[in-house]
Amino acid sequence: FSDSAGSQIVVTGGAQGGNAGSVEIAAPNILSLNSIATGGSQAGWSGGQFLLGAANLAVGASGNAAAWDSSSTTLTLNETMAFNNNNASSIIRNFSGITLEAVAGNLSLNGSTTWNLSSSLGGTPSGQLTLEAGGNITLAKGFKIRDPNNWSLTLDAGYDFANNSIQPGVGSITLNGGSTSTSPSNPI
């Protein structure tokens, strides 16, 4: 997959209402990801769904919005640049459902990053973040996923994408360092 800067994918609901649509970008090699995808809706209507699938995925706090590393077949997303609606260069905007898939391997959440779902996804007060990997999911020390509202998080390691199921004995979820809390005011 490759695209050009300035391209747009818009699946928003209508000005008078209506649910937003879905966007799926999935390829073993995502050489560039420059398109701005927008999936918001009016109050009372469902926001859009965004799915991004690559061989391996990493989310962190440095670099461009999206960068491809051919040696490791990993697409790296800069959380602040890729998802932050307050940033003019954000490429993923106003969706109420985000699914990130590492189809062939691993998904890692790296660096000292706090991903606040409601604020970074356009003030969307509720939604679903799903992280799936055919192999492992690793949350590095210092990486936090936070939400003061009604977002949910699903982590599926060892996921069999062909059969939409978890494979017993395959993949692991690793939370590195520090304490873990599931209360609404604390990070996961």
Side-chain angles (χ1 to χ4, degrees), residues 49-50 59 79 83 95-101 107 109 115-117 120-121 126-132 139 143-146 150-156 188:
Q49 302 296 309
F50 183 87
V59 179
E79 179 276 325
F83 299 101
F95 288 88
S96 63
I98 304 281
T99 300
L100 302 179
E101 296 180 342
L107 194 152
L109 306 169
W115 189 358
N116 185 321
L117 299 176
S120 70
L121 294 169
S126 64
Q128 173 71 42
L129 174 62
T130 302
L131 305 177
E132 297 174 329
L139 280 80
F143 193 99
K144 300 176 184 96
I145 298 173
R146 190 180 287 258
N150 294 309
W151 274 78
S152 298
L153 173 65
T154 299
L155 303 171
D156 292 328
I188 294 174

PDB file of all heavy atoms in Angstrom, residues 49-50 59 79 83 95-101 107 109 115-117 120-121 126-132 139 143-146 150-156 188:
ATOM      1  N   GLN A  49     -15.629   3.550  11.917  1.00  0.00           N
ATOM      2  CA  GLN A  49     -14.708   2.485  12.319  1.00  0.00           C
ATOM      3  C   GLN A  49     -13.471   2.576  11.438  1.00  0.00           C
ATOM      4  O   GLN A  49     -13.588   2.716  10.219  1.00  0.00           O
ATOM      5  CB  GLN A  49     -15.368   1.117  12.142  1.00  0.00           C
ATOM      6  CG  GLN A  49     -16.662   0.943  12.909  1.00  0.00           C
ATOM      7  CD  GLN A  49     -16.457   1.007  14.411  1.00  0.00           C
ATOM      8  OE1 GLN A  49     -15.597   0.319  14.959  1.00  0.00           O
ATOM      9  NE2 GLN A  49     -17.212   1.866  15.082  1.00  0.00           N
ATOM     10  N   PHE A  50     -12.286   2.497  12.059  1.00  0.00           N
ATOM     11  CA  PHE A  50     -11.026   2.551  11.324  1.00  0.00           C
ATOM     12  C   PHE A  50     -10.216   1.313  11.648  1.00  0.00           C
ATOM     13  O   PHE A  50      -9.958   1.021  12.816  1.00  0.00           O
ATOM     14  CB  PHE A  50     -10.232   3.804  11.697  1.00  0.00           C
ATOM     15  CG  PHE A  50      -8.957   3.946  10.916  1.00  0.00           C
ATOM     16  CD1 PHE A  50      -8.960   4.569   9.687  1.00  0.00           C
ATOM     17  CD2 PHE A  50      -7.762   3.437  11.402  1.00  0.00           C
ATOM     18  CE1 PHE A  50      -7.790   4.691   8.940  1.00  0.00           C
ATOM     19  CE2 PHE A  50      -6.589   3.547  10.677  1.00  0.00           C
ATOM     20  CZ  PHE A  50      -6.610   4.180   9.435  1.00  0.00           C
ATOM     21  N   VAL A  59       3.465   1.465  18.055  1.00  0.00           N
ATOM     22  CA  VAL A  59       2.938   2.793  18.354  1.00  0.00           C
ATOM     23  C   VAL A  59       3.872   3.413  19.371  1.00  0.00           C
ATOM     24  O   VAL A  59       4.227   2.780  20.367  1.00  0.00           O
ATOM     25  CB  VAL A  59       1.499   2.729  18.913  1.00  0.00           C
ATOM     26  CG1 VAL A  59       0.988   4.131  19.250  1.00  0.00           C
ATOM     27  CG2 VAL A  59       0.558   2.039  17.934  1.00  0.00           C
ATOM     28  N   GLU A  79       1.818   8.181  17.964  1.00  0.00           N
ATOM     29  CA  GLU A  79       0.488   8.395  18.549  1.00  0.00           C
ATOM     30  C   GLU A  79       0.066   9.848  18.478  1.00  0.00           C
ATOM     31  O   GLU A  79      -1.065  10.170  18.115  1.00  0.00           O
ATOM     32  CB  GLU A  79       0.463   7.884  19.999  1.00  0.00           C
ATOM     33  CG  GLU A  79      -0.859   8.069  20.699  1.00  0.00           C
ATOM     34  CD  GLU A  79      -1.043   9.443  21.316  1.00  0.00           C
ATOM     35  OE1 GLU A  79      -0.059  10.024  21.792  1.00  0.00           O
ATOM     36  OE2 GLU A  79      -2.187   9.948  21.294  1.00  0.00           O
ATOM     37  N   PHE A  83      -2.963  10.191  15.627  1.00  0.00           N
ATOM     38  CA  PHE A  83      -4.311  10.165  16.188  1.00  0.00           C
ATOM     39  C   PHE A  83      -4.773  11.461  16.831  1.00  0.00           C
ATOM     40  O   PHE A  83      -5.923  11.574  17.202  1.00  0.00           O
ATOM     41  CB  PHE A  83      -4.415   9.056  17.242  1.00  0.00           C
ATOM     42  CG  PHE A  83      -4.154   7.695  16.693  1.00  0.00           C
ATOM     43  CD1 PHE A  83      -2.932   7.080  16.880  1.00  0.00           C
ATOM     44  CD2 PHE A  83      -5.131   7.023  15.987  1.00  0.00           C
ATOM     45  CE1 PHE A  83      -2.690   5.812  16.379  1.00  0.00           C
ATOM     46  CE2 PHE A  83      -4.905   5.760  15.484  1.00  0.00           C
ATOM     47  CZ  PHE A  83      -3.674   5.150  15.674  1.00  0.00           C
ATOM     48  N   PHE A  95     -12.808   8.937  14.782  1.00  0.00           N
ATOM     49  CA  PHE A  95     -13.428   7.617  14.719  1.00  0.00           C
ATOM     50  C   PHE A  95     -13.802   7.153  16.121  1.00  0.00           C
ATOM     51  O   PHE A  95     -13.118   7.456  17.093  1.00  0.00           O
ATOM     52  CB  PHE A  95     -12.472   6.609  14.076  1.00  0.00           C
ATOM     53  CG  PHE A  95     -12.306   6.803  12.600  1.00  0.00           C
ATOM     54  CD1 PHE A  95     -11.334   7.658  12.104  1.00  0.00           C
ATOM     55  CD2 PHE A  95     -13.137   6.155  11.706  1.00  0.00           C
ATOM     56  CE1 PHE A  95     -11.180   7.853  10.748  1.00  0.00           C
ATOM     57  CE2 PHE A  95     -12.997   6.347  10.335  1.00  0.00           C
ATOM     58  CZ  PHE A  95     -12.028   7.194   9.858  1.00  0.00           C
ATOM     59  N   SER A  96     -14.889   6.404  16.252  1.00  0.00           N
ATOM     60  CA  SER A  96     -15.269   5.862  17.553  1.00  0.00           C
ATOM     61  C   SER A  96     -14.847   4.407  17.707  1.00  0.00           C
ATOM     62  O   SER A  96     -15.027   3.819  18.763  1.00  0.00           O
ATOM     63  CB  SER A  96     -16.772   6.001  17.787  1.00  0.00           C
ATOM     64  OG  SER A  96     -17.491   5.243  16.843  1.00  0.00           O
ATOM     65  N   GLY A  97     -14.288   3.842  16.670  1.00  0.00           N
ATOM     66  CA  GLY A  97     -13.736   2.497  16.739  1.00  0.00           C
ATOM     67  C   GLY A  97     -12.426   2.447  15.988  1.00  0.00           C
ATOM     68  O   GLY A  97     -12.357   2.837  14.826  1.00  0.00           O
ATOM     69  N   ILE A  98     -11.373   2.012  16.667  1.00  0.00           N
ATOM     70  CA  ILE A  98     -10.050   1.891  16.060  1.00  0.00           C
ATOM     71  C   ILE A  98      -9.581   0.458  16.282  1.00  0.00           C
ATOM     72  O   ILE A  98      -9.582  -0.028  17.412  1.00  0.00           O
ATOM     73  CB  ILE A  98      -9.017   2.845  16.709  1.00  0.00           C
ATOM     74  CG1 ILE A  98      -9.471   4.286  16.669  1.00  0.00           C
ATOM     75  CG2 ILE A  98      -7.632   2.654  16.106  1.00  0.00           C
ATOM     76  CD1 ILE A  98      -9.301   4.982  15.367  1.00  0.00           C
ATOM     77  N   THR A  99      -9.197  -0.205  15.204  1.00  0.00           N
ATOM     78  CA  THR A  99      -8.613  -1.544  15.307  1.00  0.00           C
ATOM     79  C   THR A  99      -7.245  -1.503  14.635  1.00  0.00           C
ATOM     80  O   THR A  99      -7.126  -1.094  13.486  1.00  0.00           O
ATOM     81  CB  THR A  99      -9.496  -2.603  14.614  1.00  0.00           C
ATOM     82  OG1 THR A  99     -10.781  -2.619  15.241  1.00  0.00           O
ATOM     83  CG2 THR A  99      -8.873  -3.985  14.716  1.00  0.00           C
ATOM     84  N   LEU A 100      -6.227  -1.907  15.392  1.00  0.00           N
ATOM     85  CA  LEU A 100      -4.869  -2.009  14.872  1.00  0.00           C
ATOM     86  C   LEU A 100      -4.503  -3.482  14.866  1.00  0.00           C
ATOM     87  O   LEU A 100      -4.586  -4.157  15.907  1.00  0.00           O
ATOM     88  CB  LEU A 100      -3.883  -1.211  15.721  1.00  0.00           C
ATOM     89  CG  LEU A 100      -4.162   0.287  15.867  1.00  0.00           C
ATOM     90  CD1 LEU A 100      -3.110   0.939  16.766  1.00  0.00           C
ATOM     91  CD2 LEU A 100      -4.203   0.969  14.509  1.00  0.00           C
ATOM     92  N   GLU A 101      -4.104  -4.011  13.684  1.00  0.00           N
ATOM     93  CA  GLU A 101      -3.805  -5.428  13.537  1.00  0.00           C
ATOM     94  C   GLU A 101      -2.373  -5.650  13.063  1.00  0.00           C
ATOM     95  O   GLU A 101      -1.984  -5.129  12.023  1.00  0.00           O
ATOM     96  CB  GLU A 101      -4.745  -6.070  12.509  1.00  0.00           C
ATOM     97  CG  GLU A 101      -6.197  -6.073  12.905  1.00  0.00           C
ATOM     98  CD  GLU A 101      -7.094  -6.706  11.858  1.00  0.00           C
ATOM     99  OE1 GLU A 101      -6.659  -6.839  10.679  1.00  0.00           O
ATOM    100  OE2 GLU A 101      -8.226  -7.065  12.197  1.00  0.00           O
ATOM    101  N   LEU A 107       2.674  -6.593  17.881  1.00  0.00           N
ATOM    102  CA  LEU A 107       2.242  -5.213  18.052  1.00  0.00           C
ATOM    103  C   LEU A 107       2.879  -4.701  19.339  1.00  0.00           C
ATOM    104  O   LEU A 107       2.734  -5.333  20.392  1.00  0.00           O
ATOM    105  CB  LEU A 107       0.714  -5.151  18.155  1.00  0.00           C
ATOM    106  CG  LEU A 107       0.087  -3.774  18.012  1.00  0.00           C
ATOM    107  CD1 LEU A 107      -1.319  -3.899  17.452  1.00  0.00           C
ATOM    108  CD2 LEU A 107       0.051  -3.020  19.300  1.00  0.00           C
ATOM    109  N   LEU A 109       3.715  -1.242  21.888  1.00  0.00           N
ATOM    110  CA  LEU A 109       3.404   0.123  22.305  1.00  0.00           C
ATOM    111  C   LEU A 109       4.633   0.606  23.056  1.00  0.00           C
ATOM    112  O   LEU A 109       4.951   0.097  24.130  1.00  0.00           O
ATOM    113  CB  LEU A 109       2.153   0.138  23.173  1.00  0.00           C
ATOM    114  CG  LEU A 109       0.926  -0.540  22.515  1.00  0.00           C
ATOM    115  CD1 LEU A 109      -0.192  -0.745  23.510  1.00  0.00           C
ATOM    116  CD2 LEU A 109       0.452   0.246  21.327  1.00  0.00           C
ATOM    117  N   TRP A 115      -1.530   7.803  25.809  1.00  0.00           N
ATOM    118  CA  TRP A 115      -2.525   7.867  24.743  1.00  0.00           C
ATOM    119  C   TRP A 115      -3.878   8.055  25.406  1.00  0.00           C
ATOM    120  O   TRP A 115      -4.451   7.123  25.950  1.00  0.00           O
ATOM    121  CB  TRP A 115      -2.472   6.594  23.915  1.00  0.00           C
ATOM    122  CG  TRP A 115      -3.296   6.607  22.659  1.00  0.00           C
ATOM    123  CD1 TRP A 115      -4.096   7.606  22.211  1.00  0.00           C
ATOM    124  CD2 TRP A 115      -3.385   5.569  21.696  1.00  0.00           C
ATOM    125  NE1 TRP A 115      -4.684   7.257  21.022  1.00  0.00           N
ATOM    126  CE2 TRP A 115      -4.257   6.007  20.680  1.00  0.00           C
ATOM    127  CE3 TRP A 115      -2.818   4.311  21.585  1.00  0.00           C
ATOM    128  CZ2 TRP A 115      -4.580   5.228  19.583  1.00  0.00           C
ATOM    129  CZ3 TRP A 115      -3.133   3.540  20.498  1.00  0.00           C
ATOM    130  CH2 TRP A 115      -4.003   3.999  19.499  1.00  0.00           C
ATOM    131  N   ASN A 116      -4.369   9.301  25.411  1.00  0.00           N
ATOM    132  CA  ASN A 116      -5.674   9.618  25.981  1.00  0.00           C
ATOM    133  C   ASN A 116      -6.700   9.501  24.863  1.00  0.00           C
ATOM    134  O   ASN A 116      -6.770  10.353  23.980  1.00  0.00           O
ATOM    135  CB  ASN A 116      -5.675  11.018  26.589  1.00  0.00           C
ATOM    136  CG  ASN A 116      -6.977  11.306  27.296  1.00  0.00           C
ATOM    137  OD1 ASN A 116      -8.055  10.940  26.840  1.00  0.00           O
ATOM    138  ND2 ASN A 116      -6.878  11.979  28.427  1.00  0.00           N
ATOM    139  N   LEU A 117      -7.473   8.459  24.890  1.00  0.00           N
ATOM    140  CA  LEU A 117      -8.342   8.128  23.767  1.00  0.00           C
ATOM    141  C   LEU A 117      -9.377   9.207  23.472  1.00  0.00           C
ATOM    142  O   LEU A 117      -9.535   9.607  22.325  1.00  0.00           O
ATOM    143  CB  LEU A 117      -9.012   6.779  24.014  1.00  0.00           C
ATOM    144  CG  LEU A 117      -8.041   5.613  24.155  1.00  0.00           C
ATOM    145  CD1 LEU A 117      -8.777   4.336  24.504  1.00  0.00           C
ATOM    146  CD2 LEU A 117      -7.204   5.436  22.904  1.00  0.00           C
ATOM    147  N   SER A 120      -7.521  12.505  22.163  1.00  0.00           N
ATOM    148  CA  SER A 120      -6.752  12.380  20.926  1.00  0.00           C
ATOM    149  C   SER A 120      -7.623  11.984  19.748  1.00  0.00           C
ATOM    150  O   SER A 120      -7.239  12.193  18.607  1.00  0.00           O
ATOM    151  CB  SER A 120      -5.598  11.393  21.092  1.00  0.00           C
ATOM    152  OG  SER A 120      -6.065  10.078  21.198  1.00  0.00           O
ATOM    153  N   LEU A 121      -8.780  11.435  19.992  1.00  0.00           N
ATOM    154  CA  LEU A 121      -9.649  11.005  18.897  1.00  0.00           C
ATOM    155  C   LEU A 121     -10.813  11.969  18.710  1.00  0.00           C
ATOM    156  O   LEU A 121     -11.943  11.568  18.454  1.00  0.00           O
ATOM    157  CB  LEU A 121     -10.119   9.573  19.132  1.00  0.00           C
ATOM    158  CG  LEU A 121      -8.959   8.577  19.075  1.00  0.00           C
ATOM    159  CD1 LEU A 121      -9.382   7.216  19.570  1.00  0.00           C
ATOM    160  CD2 LEU A 121      -8.393   8.481  17.674  1.00  0.00           C
ATOM    161  N   SER A 126     -16.922   8.113  23.679  1.00  0.00           N
ATOM    162  CA  SER A 126     -16.947   6.670  23.877  1.00  0.00           C
ATOM    163  C   SER A 126     -16.524   5.982  22.596  1.00  0.00           C
ATOM    164  O   SER A 126     -16.673   6.518  21.501  1.00  0.00           O
ATOM    165  CB  SER A 126     -18.346   6.197  24.290  1.00  0.00           C
ATOM    166  OG  SER A 126     -19.271   6.450  23.255  1.00  0.00           O
ATOM    167  N   GLY A 127     -15.985   4.801  22.766  1.00  0.00           N
ATOM    168  CA  GLY A 127     -15.540   4.053  21.608  1.00  0.00           C
ATOM    169  C   GLY A 127     -14.854   2.775  22.013  1.00  0.00           C
ATOM    170  O   GLY A 127     -14.844   2.393  23.186  1.00  0.00           O
ATOM    171  N   GLN A 128     -14.248   2.125  21.025  1.00  0.00           N
ATOM    172  CA  GLN A 128     -13.589   0.845  21.232  1.00  0.00           C
ATOM    173  C   GLN A 128     -12.231   0.870  20.538  1.00  0.00           C
ATOM    174  O   GLN A 128     -12.162   1.109  19.337  1.00  0.00           O
ATOM    175  CB  GLN A 128     -14.445  -0.283  20.646  1.00  0.00           C
ATOM    176  CG  GLN A 128     -13.795  -1.646  20.637  1.00  0.00           C
ATOM    177  CD  GLN A 128     -13.654  -2.244  22.029  1.00  0.00           C
ATOM    178  OE1 GLN A 128     -14.573  -2.148  22.830  1.00  0.00           O
ATOM    179  NE2 GLN A 128     -12.508  -2.845  22.312  1.00  0.00           N
ATOM    180  N   LEU A 129     -11.169   0.634  21.306  1.00  0.00           N
ATOM    181  CA  LEU A 129      -9.829   0.447  20.752  1.00  0.00           C
ATOM    182  C   LEU A 129      -9.519  -1.043  20.838  1.00  0.00           C
ATOM    183  O   LEU A 129      -9.576  -1.627  21.922  1.00  0.00           O
ATOM    184  CB  LEU A 129      -8.779   1.242  21.526  1.00  0.00           C
ATOM    185  CG  LEU A 129      -7.317   1.001  21.121  1.00  0.00           C
ATOM    186  CD1 LEU A 129      -7.070   1.400  19.672  1.00  0.00           C
ATOM    187  CD2 LEU A 129      -6.378   1.753  22.061  1.00  0.00           C
ATOM    188  N   THR A 130      -9.244  -1.656  19.686  1.00  0.00           N
ATOM    189  CA  THR A 130      -8.924  -3.076  19.636  1.00  0.00           C
ATOM    190  C   THR A 130      -7.523  -3.235  19.065  1.00  0.00           C
ATOM    191  O   THR A 130      -7.219  -2.714  17.992  1.00  0.00           O
ATOM    192  CB  THR A 130      -9.933  -3.836  18.747  1.00  0.00           C
ATOM    193  OG1 THR A 130     -11.251  -3.633  19.272  1.00  0.00           O
ATOM    194  CG2 THR A 130      -9.628  -5.318  18.711  1.00  0.00           C
ATOM    195  N   LEU A 131      -6.667  -3.939  19.808  1.00  0.00           N
ATOM    196  CA  LEU A 131      -5.301  -4.227  19.383  1.00  0.00           C
ATOM    197  C   LEU A 131      -5.182  -5.736  19.220  1.00  0.00           C
ATOM    198  O   LEU A 131      -5.404  -6.491  20.169  1.00  0.00           O
ATOM    199  CB  LEU A 131      -4.295  -3.723  20.422  1.00  0.00           C
ATOM    200  CG  LEU A 131      -4.410  -2.240  20.807  1.00  0.00           C
ATOM    201  CD1 LEU A 131      -3.411  -1.900  21.901  1.00  0.00           C
ATOM    202  CD2 LEU A 131      -4.226  -1.348  19.602  1.00  0.00           C
ATOM    203  N   GLU A 132      -4.851  -6.181  17.998  1.00  0.00           N
ATOM    204  CA  GLU A 132      -4.780  -7.604  17.702  1.00  0.00           C
ATOM    205  C   GLU A 132      -3.437  -7.924  17.055  1.00  0.00           C
ATOM    206  O   GLU A 132      -2.965  -7.167  16.210  1.00  0.00           O
ATOM    207  CB  GLU A 132      -5.896  -8.025  16.742  1.00  0.00           C
ATOM    208  CG  GLU A 132      -7.282  -7.828  17.311  1.00  0.00           C
ATOM    209  CD  GLU A 132      -8.398  -8.098  16.331  1.00  0.00           C
ATOM    210  OE1 GLU A 132      -8.202  -7.878  15.113  1.00  0.00           O
ATOM    211  OE2 GLU A 132      -9.461  -8.536  16.786  1.00  0.00           O
ATOM    212  N   LEU A 139       3.320  -3.849  25.876  1.00  0.00           N
ATOM    213  CA  LEU A 139       3.222  -2.459  26.328  1.00  0.00           C
ATOM    214  C   LEU A 139       4.498  -2.152  27.090  1.00  0.00           C
ATOM    215  O   LEU A 139       4.740  -2.722  28.163  1.00  0.00           O
ATOM    216  CB  LEU A 139       2.010  -2.240  27.233  1.00  0.00           C
ATOM    217  CG  LEU A 139       0.675  -2.072  26.523  1.00  0.00           C
ATOM    218  CD1 LEU A 139       0.106  -3.407  26.125  1.00  0.00           C
ATOM    219  CD2 LEU A 139      -0.287  -1.310  27.392  1.00  0.00           C
ATOM    220  N   PHE A 143       4.486   3.463  28.623  1.00  0.00           N
ATOM    221  CA  PHE A 143       3.371   3.647  27.693  1.00  0.00           C
ATOM    222  C   PHE A 143       2.069   3.461  28.467  1.00  0.00           C
ATOM    223  O   PHE A 143       1.881   2.484  29.177  1.00  0.00           O
ATOM    224  CB  PHE A 143       3.431   2.639  26.543  1.00  0.00           C
ATOM    225  CG  PHE A 143       2.489   3.002  25.415  1.00  0.00           C
ATOM    226  CD1 PHE A 143       2.977   3.652  24.295  1.00  0.00           C
ATOM    227  CD2 PHE A 143       1.142   2.722  25.483  1.00  0.00           C
ATOM    228  CE1 PHE A 143       2.124   4.007  23.255  1.00  0.00           C
ATOM    229  CE2 PHE A 143       0.284   3.071  24.452  1.00  0.00           C
ATOM    230  CZ  PHE A 143       0.777   3.718  23.337  1.00  0.00           C
ATOM    231  N   LYS A 144       1.166   4.448  28.327  1.00  0.00           N
ATOM    232  CA  LYS A 144      -0.113   4.405  29.042  1.00  0.00           C
ATOM    233  C   LYS A 144      -1.257   4.636  28.066  1.00  0.00           C
ATOM    234  O   LYS A 144      -1.151   5.461  27.168  1.00  0.00           O
ATOM    235  CB  LYS A 144      -0.165   5.490  30.114  1.00  0.00           C
ATOM    236  CG  LYS A 144       0.898   5.385  31.173  1.00  0.00           C
ATOM    237  CD  LYS A 144       0.819   6.566  32.126  1.00  0.00           C
ATOM    238  CE  LYS A 144       1.944   6.521  33.121  1.00  0.00           C
ATOM    239  NZ  LYS A 144       3.079   7.350  32.710  1.00  0.00           N
ATOM    240  N   ILE A 145      -2.325   3.897  28.264  1.00  0.00           N
ATOM    241  CA  ILE A 145      -3.573   4.137  27.544  1.00  0.00           C
ATOM    242  C   ILE A 145      -4.555   4.621  28.597  1.00  0.00           C
ATOM    243  O   ILE A 145      -4.781   3.959  29.607  1.00  0.00           O
ATOM    244  CB  ILE A 145      -4.089   2.859  26.857  1.00  0.00           C
ATOM    245  CG1 ILE A 145      -3.075   2.371  25.821  1.00  0.00           C
ATOM    246  CG2 ILE A 145      -5.443   3.120  26.218  1.00  0.00           C
ATOM    247  CD1 ILE A 145      -3.409   1.026  25.216  1.00  0.00           C
ATOM    248  N   ARG A 146      -5.139   5.800  28.338  1.00  0.00           N
ATOM    249  CA  ARG A 146      -5.944   6.461  29.354  1.00  0.00           C
ATOM    250  C   ARG A 146      -7.231   6.970  28.715  1.00  0.00           C
ATOM    251  O   ARG A 146      -7.259   7.348  27.554  1.00  0.00           O
ATOM    252  CB  ARG A 146      -5.145   7.631  29.917  1.00  0.00           C
ATOM    253  CG  ARG A 146      -5.698   8.299  31.111  1.00  0.00           C
ATOM    254  CD  ARG A 146      -4.772   9.436  31.529  1.00  0.00           C
ATOM    255  NE  ARG A 146      -3.553   8.960  32.143  1.00  0.00           N
ATOM    256  CZ  ARG A 146      -3.343   8.963  33.459  1.00  0.00           C
ATOM    257  NH1 ARG A 146      -4.247   9.409  34.267  1.00  0.00           N
ATOM    258  NH2 ARG A 146      -2.209   8.534  33.945  1.00  0.00           N
ATOM    259  N   ASN A 150     -15.760   6.857  28.287  1.00  0.00           N
ATOM    260  CA  ASN A 150     -16.319   5.518  28.102  1.00  0.00           C
ATOM    261  C   ASN A 150     -15.699   4.741  26.955  1.00  0.00           C
ATOM    262  O   ASN A 150     -16.405   4.065  26.204  1.00  0.00           O
ATOM    263  CB  ASN A 150     -17.837   5.625  27.891  1.00  0.00           C
ATOM    264  CG  ASN A 150     -18.542   6.129  29.126  1.00  0.00           C
ATOM    265  OD1 ASN A 150     -18.334   5.607  30.205  1.00  0.00           O
ATOM    266  ND2 ASN A 150     -19.340   7.165  28.965  1.00  0.00           N
ATOM    267  N   TRP A 151     -14.387   4.810  26.816  1.00  0.00           N
ATOM    268  CA  TRP A 151     -13.712   3.988  25.822  1.00  0.00           C
ATOM    269  C   TRP A 151     -13.410   2.618  26.423  1.00  0.00           C
ATOM    270  O   TRP A 151     -13.158   2.488  27.620  1.00  0.00           O
ATOM    271  CB  TRP A 151     -12.413   4.652  25.371  1.00  0.00           C
ATOM    272  CG  TRP A 151     -12.628   5.635  24.267  1.00  0.00           C
ATOM    273  CD1 TRP A 151     -13.119   6.901  24.390  1.00  0.00           C
ATOM    274  CD2 TRP A 151     -12.404   5.425  22.886  1.00  0.00           C
ATOM    275  NE1 TRP A 151     -13.204   7.491  23.163  1.00  0.00           N
ATOM    276  CE2 TRP A 151     -12.771   6.602  22.212  1.00  0.00           C
ATOM    277  CE3 TRP A 151     -11.926   4.360  22.144  1.00  0.00           C
ATOM    278  CZ2 TRP A 151     -12.671   6.738  20.836  1.00  0.00           C
ATOM    279  CZ3 TRP A 151     -11.820   4.495  20.771  1.00  0.00           C
ATOM    280  CH2 TRP A 151     -12.195   5.680  20.136  1.00  0.00           C
ATOM    281  N   SER A 152     -13.418   1.606  25.582  1.00  0.00           N
ATOM    282  CA  SER A 152     -13.075   0.243  25.988  1.00  0.00           C
ATOM    283  C   SER A 152     -11.828  -0.186  25.229  1.00  0.00           C
ATOM    284  O   SER A 152     -11.553   0.304  24.139  1.00  0.00           O
ATOM    285  CB  SER A 152     -14.212  -0.722  25.649  1.00  0.00           C
ATOM    286  OG  SER A 152     -15.378  -0.374  26.346  1.00  0.00           O
ATOM    287  N   LEU A 153     -11.114  -1.141  25.799  1.00  0.00           N
ATOM    288  CA  LEU A 153      -9.883  -1.649  25.203  1.00  0.00           C
ATOM    289  C   LEU A 153      -9.942  -3.164  25.147  1.00  0.00           C
ATOM    290  O   LEU A 153     -10.282  -3.815  26.134  1.00  0.00           O
ATOM    291  CB  LEU A 153      -8.672  -1.216  26.047  1.00  0.00           C
ATOM    292  CG  LEU A 153      -7.318  -1.810  25.662  1.00  0.00           C
ATOM    293  CD1 LEU A 153      -6.882  -1.342  24.284  1.00  0.00           C
ATOM    294  CD2 LEU A 153      -6.270  -1.438  26.709  1.00  0.00           C
ATOM    295  N   THR A 154      -9.625  -3.718  23.983  1.00  0.00           N
ATOM    296  CA  THR A 154      -9.514  -5.165  23.819  1.00  0.00           C
ATOM    297  C   THR A 154      -8.114  -5.470  23.302  1.00  0.00           C
ATOM    298  O   THR A 154      -7.655  -4.848  22.346  1.00  0.00           O
ATOM    299  CB  THR A 154     -10.551  -5.695  22.799  1.00  0.00           C
ATOM    300  OG1 THR A 154     -11.858  -5.399  23.288  1.00  0.00           O
ATOM    301  CG2 THR A 154     -10.410  -7.190  22.599  1.00  0.00           C
ATOM    302  N   LEU A 155      -7.439  -6.424  23.945  1.00  0.00           N
ATOM    303  CA  LEU A 155      -6.119  -6.888  23.528  1.00  0.00           C
ATOM    304  C   LEU A 155      -6.236  -8.359  23.163  1.00  0.00           C
ATOM    305  O   LEU A 155      -6.609  -9.183  24.001  1.00  0.00           O
ATOM    306  CB  LEU A 155      -5.096  -6.723  24.665  1.00  0.00           C
ATOM    307  CG  LEU A 155      -4.904  -5.320  25.235  1.00  0.00           C
ATOM    308  CD1 LEU A 155      -4.030  -5.374  26.481  1.00  0.00           C
ATOM    309  CD2 LEU A 155      -4.297  -4.408  24.201  1.00  0.00           C
ATOM    310  N   ASP A 156      -5.932  -8.716  21.915  1.00  0.00           N
ATOM    311  CA  ASP A 156      -5.990 -10.097  21.454  1.00  0.00           C
ATOM    312  C   ASP A 156      -4.633 -10.489  20.879  1.00  0.00           C
ATOM    313  O   ASP A 156      -4.284 -10.096  19.769  1.00  0.00           O
ATOM    314  CB  ASP A 156      -7.051 -10.273  20.352  1.00  0.00           C
ATOM    315  CG  ASP A 156      -8.473 -10.103  20.853  1.00  0.00           C
ATOM    316  OD1 ASP A 156      -8.727 -10.448  22.021  1.00  0.00           O
ATOM    317  OD2 ASP A 156      -9.322  -9.647  20.064  1.00  0.00           O
ATOM    318  N   ILE A 188      -4.393   2.266  32.045  1.00  0.00           N
ATOM    319  CA  ILE A 188      -4.390   0.803  31.972  1.00  0.00           C
ATOM    320  C   ILE A 188      -2.957   0.363  31.741  1.00  0.00           C
ATOM    321  O   ILE A 188      -2.245   0.927  30.984  1.00  0.00           O
ATOM    322  CB  ILE A 188      -5.296   0.313  30.814  1.00  0.00           C
ATOM    323  CG1 ILE A 188      -6.726   0.666  31.144  1.00  0.00           C
ATOM    324  CG2 ILE A 188      -5.126  -1.170  30.588  1.00  0.00           C
ATOM    325  CD1 ILE A 188      -7.694   0.360  30.027  1.00  0.00           C
TER     326      ILE A 188
END
